[in-house]
Amino acid sequence: MIRRAIFYLNRNKPSVLDTVRRCAVLCRERGIEPCFFREDEEALRACLPELTDGCALYDAPIPGEIDVIFVFGGDGTMLRALDLYVDCGIPLLGINLGRLGFLLETETEELPAALDMLCRGQYEIERRMMLCVEARCGGQEILAYATNEVSISRGLSQRMIALDVSVGHALVDHYIADGVVLASPTGSTAYSLSAGGPIVSPDVPCFVLNPICPHALQSRPIVLSSAERVTLAINMKEMREGIQLSVDGQAICEMQNREQITVSRSRHDGLLIRFPKERNFFSLLKDKLSQWSL
């Protein structure tokens, strides 16, 4: 039973506050209590004071108190919500305020029907494999989750970088390239696809190891078992500044020579609410590729 939902907002979307207001009213009509993140309190009190009066505010979703996270935005907003809160074990429902909404489930005009199905339990939970990233960069310990991919790239430098990639204790290759992408099945249709990698169905448990513009002709994308631990290590003869570690497109830190990251399958899966409808991964993929060809 859905009793309490927390709203995760992309406040840069022009229609977000109108959609939040409408969704909060619809939730209350159905006995669902809308809650908000404390970081949004000031903006909501300024624009929608009637919503925040008496509403619960949270720094982060608390399992057992929050039953679902409503994500208002586009695919980038969903990626951030998944990366931040996957370890809470709370399912996410995406309300699309962007274009295609590859990871999002419902449109603004579909909200009444979507909330009715949510209350009746007419939905499924789709599990998406996540990546767990462990690193030490510049003396800083890093632990992060990725929905799409982890990448190490040359950043603003115009010269290639050198990396050693290992699976377990076995060296896969010494890459001289613009960088390397390690993608999840979900991320196989994102940066990795643009770099020439294969499309992988989201229910296949694997990693896609993909060099970016490699110098050697034999360097090609490799599909790895998600049971492996993958290590990406900087191995330069002459170190240059600006080598960038990114997680789901967000810059995390600059890496130095001999520093490395380890990527494994997260023990937490992303949980996405899906309603009965004809739309599926392959129809969405066709729409996405069609948009890219415009």
Side-chain angles (χ1 to χ4, degrees):
M1 180 179 178
I2 306 296
R3 299 163 301 165
R4 189 176 288 126
I6 192 166
F7 289 23
Y8 182 84
L9 321 179
N10 181 345
R11 297 202 302 267
N12 294 321
K13 297 291 184 182
S15 61
V16 66
L17 293 179
D18 288 338
T19 306
V20 165
R21 178 192 287 112
R22 184 179 182 215
C23 187
V25 170
L26 292 170
C27 282
R28 286 171 174 153
E29 290 174 353
R30 289 157 176 79
I32 301 173
E33 178 187 348
C35 307
F36 300 94
F37 285 90
R38 202 175 303 278
E39 66 183 23
D40 296 320
E41 180 181 10
E42 184 176 347
L44 291 170
R45 288 196 184 280
C47 301
L48 304 173
E50 72 281 5
L51 289 187
T52 50
D53 288 342
C55 281
L57 298 170
Y58 290 85
D59 293 316
I62 299 176
E65 292 188 23
I66 300 297
D67 301 306
V68 61
I69 302 172
F70 288 171
V71 179
F72 297 83
D75 282 327
T77 314
M78 178 61 84
L79 290 177
R80 288 192 294 276
L82 281 166
D83 294 353
L84 286 170
Y85 305 120
V86 64
D87 57 350
C88 294
I90 300 173
L92 289 79
L93 173 62
I95 295 97
N96 185 27
L97 304 180
R99 293 182 62 192
L100 180 61
F102 206 59
L103 293 172
L104 298 127
E105 182 62 9
T106 190
E107 304 291 332
T108 301
E109 61 272 15
E110 299 171 341
L111 272 172
L115 292 174
D116 285 342
M117 286 188 284
L118 192 65
C119 291
R120 291 195 297 263
Q122 295 177 326
Y123 62 89
E124 296 180 351
I125 301 294
E126 179 180 86
R127 306 185 77 93
R128 290 292 181 107
M129 192 192 98
M130 303 279 290
L131 308 180
C132 179
V133 186
E134 299 171 271
R136 184 175 179 85
C137 294
Q140 177 186 3
E141 297 288 345
I142 293 171
L143 175 63
Y145 295 104
T147 307
N148 273 353
E149 78 279 310
V150 182
S151 67
I152 297 177
S153 67
R154 61 182 173 83
L156 297 178
S157 172
Q158 296 302 306
R159 299 175 66 186
M160 291 182 170
I161 61 175
L163 306 97
D164 291 336
V165 178
S166 301
V167 174
H169 298 292
L171 178 67
V172 175
D173 206 343
H174 174 72
Y175 292 103
I176 299 175
D178 282 356
V180 169
V181 178
L182 188 68
S184 70
T186 298
S188 71
T189 60
Y191 188 11
S192 178
L193 179 63
S194 298
I199 294 171
V200 179
S201 180
D203 57 353
V204 177
C206 68
F207 304 130
V208 177
L209 173 63
N210 196 0
I212 306 167
C213 299
H215 183 266
L217 292 177
Q218 71 269 22
S219 295
R220 291 291 179 263
I222 303 174
V223 178
L224 305 171
S225 167
S226 63
E228 303 284 1
R229 289 175 65 85
V230 183
T231 302
L232 285 68
I234 308 296
N235 187 4
M236 306 279 291
K237 290 182 179 179
E238 296 180 4
M239 186 57 191
R240 291 184 294 277
E241 300 295 324
I243 296 177
Q244 186 71 59
L245 170 63
S246 299
V247 173
D248 280 346
Q250 301 297 310
I252 300 298
C253 67
E254 287 192 8
M255 298 188 67
Q256 304 300 316
N257 206 15
R258 309 304 174 190
E259 289 186 334
Q260 65 182 37
I261 69 169
T262 301
V263 183
S264 57
R265 178 175 182 170
S266 167
R267 60 190 181 92
H268 308 285
D269 287 341
L271 306 177
L272 302 179
I273 290 176
R274 299 302 194 201
F275 297 119
K277 58 174 66 175
E278 293 184 3
R279 188 178 69 166
N280 56 45
F281 169 76
F282 296 103
S283 62
L284 278 172
L285 179 64
K286 183 179 178 182
D287 290 342
K288 180 175 183 175
L289 296 179
S290 295
Q291 283 194 11
W292 281 358
S293 66
L294 295 177

